[in-house]
Amino acid sequence: MSYNKILVILPITILIGFFACTNTANIPGDKKPVAIDTPVFTPPDTSTIPHDAMGDMIRYGRDLVVNTAHYIGPNGTVGKYLGNKMNCTNCHLDAGTRPFGYNFFSTHARYPQYRGRENRILSLGERINNCIERPHSGVPMPLGSKEIIAMECYIKWVGTSVPIGKHVKGDEGVELEYPKRAADIAKGEALFAKHCVSCHGKNGEGIMTADTSTYTYPPLWGMKAYQKGSSPHRVLKLARFIKANMPNKLAVWNKPVLTDEEAIDIAAFVNDDRIHPRPEKKDKTIPDYPNIKMKAIDYGTGPFVDTFSAMQHKFGPYQPIIDYHKKNGLPVIF
Ligand code: HEC
Ligand code: HEC
């Protein structure tokens, strides 16, 4: 390259670098509200995964997230860890890259992290095992296994440009307005019949692939679906996901099909343990949320730090609980 060319390219590179930095400076910090006009985070394209030892692990990690049952399901080719035949991507949509779809945008940037359910700091590998145990009803994988490390490499790659400790737009649930009333299970049932039954089935059982190795449409309840006490078992956590993403491919986070109320009613119907069974944690000697202050508002199992009933925590109305927590200096966790 000629000296002249370097003279031209250098200032351009510095300029591009400057704008790139200005952009990242706009990325909102923890807990700060994200400005409406901030664009959602875009993860890198898979074609940019390098062709070296790290790239091979990233690709394997992505493959594990997409074809989880094949590798580590009940008949897994590398080990039998999951208790069901779901894949991570059934919930972490588009292999954890869909905005507001339980994605992995800022996951690597925020781990190790304190977790209220365990009341201790968890590494990213341990958090992956959390999902393998619940919702997948499985047994944890060795933290040093090639599979855990590959998934960590993939999750790190998804959030390549996310600054440590930060959130980016699209990495959490969509905002919901809470109805003044409790969620209406009967309305949820009717809406489910209209918007969800065609793919997820009348009994929420989903539809398996022809070879029954996994699902075309994953189950929503029953003994093969996610567990009690796992994140999607919480009504608001699930309603945010449903509003932004379901019916699949029809709803988009900024063009939802359902209203907030409808999403909450459907989530309440799906997660109502009085009508819909699901697997439970086997070892009950270790309680969830040993520090009850750290329970999410919509976590439906007591004891609670406040005087609201388990039914109100689970199905709402949520605003009085939120107001009470704020008034009494208690954490408001979602
Ligand atoms: C039935 C749905 C479901 C399945 C299947 C599932 N997860 Fe999750 N996972 C969740 C939900 C819900 C959360 C919480 C997301 C949130 O808080 O926004 C979560 C959180 C996580 C987190 C923490 C994300 C963060 O940014 O804090 C990781 C890592 C994770 N899951 C990995 C996996 C992996 C790997 C698999 C497959 C082995 C898997 N999950 C399968 C539902 C699921
Ligand atoms: C057109 C088919 C279709 C319709 C209709 C549909 N879904 Fe889904 N749903 C899917 C698919 C496919 C996935 C898994 C996505 C993947 O693996 O890429 C999914 C995933 C889910 C998940 C997370 C995985 C699990 O099984 O827990 C939930 C929850 C869910 N859908 C709820 C709903 C609800 C509620 C409705 C109705 C408002 C609905 N879906 C309508 C196809 C559909």
Side-chain angles (χ1 to χ4, degrees), residues 23-286:
N23 265 342
T24 42
N26 283 338
I27 290 169
D30 243 337
K31 307 286 172 216
K32 269 191 233 147
V34 182
I36 302 272
D37 54 357
T38 314
V40 287
F41 177 77
T42 311
D45 193 274
T46 46
S47 64
T48 65
I49 299 174
H51 289 278
D52 55 14
M54 177 55 98
D56 289 345
M57 282 296 265
I58 295 169
R59 265 183 293 272
Y60 183 43
R62 187 178 185 283
D63 207 10
L64 281 157
V65 166
V66 175
N67 300 304
T68 326
H70 167 76
Y71 288 108
I72 58 169
N75 307 314
T77 51
V78 299
K80 299 174 182 24
Y81 291 97
L82 307 182
N84 64 30
K85 292 182 174 177
M86 289 181 71
N87 301 308
C88 313
T89 195
N90 291 159
C91 298
H92 299 287
L93 299 175
D94 302 338
T97 67
R98 195 188 294 180
F100 302 100
Y102 296 151
N103 57 62
F104 297 138
F105 290 173
S106 63
T107 305
H108 184 263
R110 289 181 289 98
Y111 272 84
Q113 188 190 98
Y114 169 83
R115 303 290 304 161
R117 198 173 78 181
E118 290 74 26
N119 195 32
R120 65 179 182 87
I121 308 289
L122 258 59
S123 69
L124 179 54
E126 289 177 302
R127 181 65 185 88
I128 293 172
N129 267 335
N130 256 7
C131 271
I132 291 178
E133 288 183 271
R134 280 189 284 178
H136 278 292
S137 303
V139 290
M141 298 194 83
L143 289 173
S145 61
K146 186 178 173 190
E147 285 64 36
I148 290 283
I149 296 171
M151 287 190 273
E152 287 172 335
C153 291
Y154 172 65
I155 291 172
K156 180 181 178 192
W157 174 83
V158 168
T160 301
S161 59
V162 179
I164 289 175
K166 300 290 184 186
H167 278 285
V168 289
K169 179 155 175 181
D171 68 355
E172 293 185 295
V174 285
E175 290 289 324
L176 290 180
E177 221 170 276
Y178 310 122
K180 289 206 167 59
R181 57 167 176 81
D184 188 325
I185 310 295
K187 276 193 182 150
E189 181 171 12
L191 288 161
F192 186 87
K194 183 171 169 204
H195 294 286
C196 322
V197 149
S198 57
C199 296
H200 293 287
K202 208 167 118 264
N203 299 311
E205 72 280 26
I207 297 175
M208 297 204 89
T209 50
D211 64 0
T212 73
S213 63
T214 187
Y215 292 95
T216 308
Y217 302 113
L220 300 184
W221 66 84
M223 299 317 272
K224 291 169 182 162
Y226 57 80
Q227 286 217 357
K228 286 184 185 173
S230 65
S231 300
H233 188 232
R234 280 161 40 197
V235 171
L236 292 179
K237 179 69 95 187
L238 185 65
R240 290 179 212 280
F241 173 89
I242 291 173
K243 187 188 168 198
N245 301 291
M246 292 294 145
N248 195 37
K249 303 214 164 119
L250 214 60
V252 185
W253 69 273
N254 52 3
K255 250 197 195 163
V257 170
L258 305 166
T259 65
D260 295 7
E261 250 182 50
E262 288 173 334
I264 291 172
D265 288 344
I266 296 180
F269 167 71
V270 169
N271 278 338
D272 189 342
D273 301 328
R274 294 166 300 186
I275 45 178
H276 296 151
R278 47 179 83 251
E280 278 184 64
K281 163 167 122 163
K282 285 179 208 103
D283 182 2
K284 292 211 177 108
T285 55
I286 312 156

